Amino acid sequence: MATTAAADAATPKSPATPAAPASSLTDKEREAIAQMPYEEARDKLIQAVQALEAGGLNLDQSMRQWEIGEALAKRAQSLLGEVRAKLDAAQAEQATSADTAGTQSNLD
């Protein structure tokens, strides 16, 4: 037994890492959020924030509203990023065609 105790004492132990909290959102809810148009995601995000700001929620309800809000914010941000990329591409295309706008080479 003394050998085992000595071996255990010599073996470095890694610190306990807390388990990641389980999400309260179902796959169905996540999929619904992933399919939402921007306006719906924005409106539901506003509702989630208002619920948190109003208070009166227990810890589980608050965490659920927080998770919903995070998922909705990511969806809205993703959609805005897609629109920004399209606008940037359109501006870049317009800038390259502006050099030839109104010239004979534009008609060829």
Side-chain angles (χ1 to χ4, degrees):
M1 287 267 197
T3 325
T4 306
D8 287 346
T11 305
K13 297 187 181 191
S14 61
T17 53
S23 173
S24 66
L25 298 180
T26 65
D27 289 341
K28 187 176 179 181
E29 289 171 319
R30 289 186 185 283
E31 182 60 29
I33 290 172
Q35 299 302 316
M36 281 183 189
Y38 172 79
E39 293 79 5
E40 184 179 357
R42 179 200 59 215
D43 292 346
K44 289 189 180 289
L45 175 57
I46 290 168
Q47 291 171 1
V49 169
Q50 288 172 340
L52 286 167
E53 288 176 341
L57 302 175
N58 66 33
L59 181 59
D60 289 337
Q61 292 167 329
S62 294
M63 288 304 298
R64 180 163 170 73
Q65 286 300 311
W66 181 267
E67 281 188 80
I68 290 169
E70 285 289 318
L72 291 165
K74 286 178 185 176
R75 173 64 179 160
Q77 196 62 40
S78 172
L79 290 168
L80 288 174
E82 290 173 15
V83 170
R84 171 51 58 198
K86 288 178 184 177
L87 289 173
D88 289 346
Q91 286 177 331
E93 184 179 328
Q94 186 179 33
T96 58
S97 65
D99 294 338
T100 59
T103 64
Q104 185 63 36
S105 63
N106 192 34
L107 301 174
D108 292 338

